[in-house]
Amino acid sequence: MLKHKIIGLDVGSKTVGIAISDLMGWTAQGLDTLRINEDKGELGIDRIVEIINKEDVGSVVIGLPKNMNNSIGFRGEASLQYKEKLAEACPNLELIMWDERLSTMAAERSLLEADVSRQKRKKVIDKMAAVFILQGYLDSLN
């Protein structure tokens, strides 16, 4: 059993999908989709810190989008920079980068299989991707 919950983040240029674990560390649930503006440096770190404190979070798993050849491209660099900003705001927090190459595609596929309309998919895709990132990490622990 975990002492603290774990959150998963799917960091994009306009949104951050947020998922949270149960206390047992078995399942990930979608929590929120945060609107951000990467270009203006509005990253929503304060809101993430609020969630970390409110939910008694001990670790954060951040999706690291890699290219299929395992190299890190522009979005991967942006995720690593996001990790640095979060580390500054929460120096004692465990931050884990998690290969998320297929998480958004998996989220999209499960929403399609559930016959969710395109408009609804747009609203929940980042949160669902965060669930896939966090669930992948939790499964690797158990």
Side-chain angles (χ1 to χ4, degrees), residues 61-120:
V61 178
I62 301 169
L64 179 62
K66 290 182 174 180
N67 298 322
M68 284 305 169
N69 68 2
N70 221 23
S71 66
I72 293 176
F74 177 73
R75 284 304 331 147
E77 289 296 335
S79 288
L80 290 167
Q81 286 172 355
Y82 200 90
K83 176 190 176 193
E84 295 304 313
K85 296 276 188 229
L86 197 53
E88 288 168 20
C90 301
N92 299 326
L93 198 64
E94 181 185 25
L95 300 173
I96 301 139
M97 297 307 290
W98 188 255
D99 184 349
E100 61 134 285
R101 268 177 276 201
L102 304 172
S103 62
T104 302
M105 287 192 304
E108 179 83 20
R109 190 167 36 249
S110 69
L111 290 169
L112 282 168
E113 284 168 9
D115 204 24
V116 177
S117 72
R118 174 169 293 169
Q119 201 165 8
K120 270 208 181 116

Side-chain angles (χ1 to χ4, degrees), residues 14-16 33-37 42-44 126:
K14 294 183 173 65
T15 60
V16 177
T33 301
L34 196 59
R35 306 242 14 111
I36 65 168
N37 188 330
E42 296 163 7
L43 302 176
D126 300 310

Side-chain angles (χ1 to χ4, degrees), residues 5-11 16-22 27-34 48 51-52 57 59-64 82 86 94-96 98 100 126-138:
K5 292 179 186 170
I6 302 173
I7 60 173
L9 303 178
D10 178 50
V11 180
V16 177
I18 307 167
I20 191 160
S21 74
D22 62 332
T27 61
Q29 294 93 23
L31 187 67
D32 202 1
T33 301
L34 196 59
I48 302 288
I51 292 168
I52 287 166
V57 170
S59 306
V60 178
V61 178
I62 301 169
L64 179 62
Y82 200 90
L86 197 53
E94 181 185 25
L95 300 173
I96 301 139
W98 188 255
E100 61 134 285
D126 300 310
K127 186 167 42 175
M128 283 287 295
V131 168
F132 277 91
I133 290 165
L134 182 54
Q135 193 64 56
Y137 175 75
L138 295 174

Side-chain angles (χ1 to χ4, degrees), residues 1-6 21-25 55-59 94 141:
M1 185 157 122
L2 301 168
K3 290 184 207 68
H4 303 282
K5 292 179 186 170
I6 302 173
S21 74
D22 62 332
L23 270 172
M24 303 298 279
E55 297 289 345
D56 195 26
V57 170
S59 306
E94 181 185 25
L141 295 179

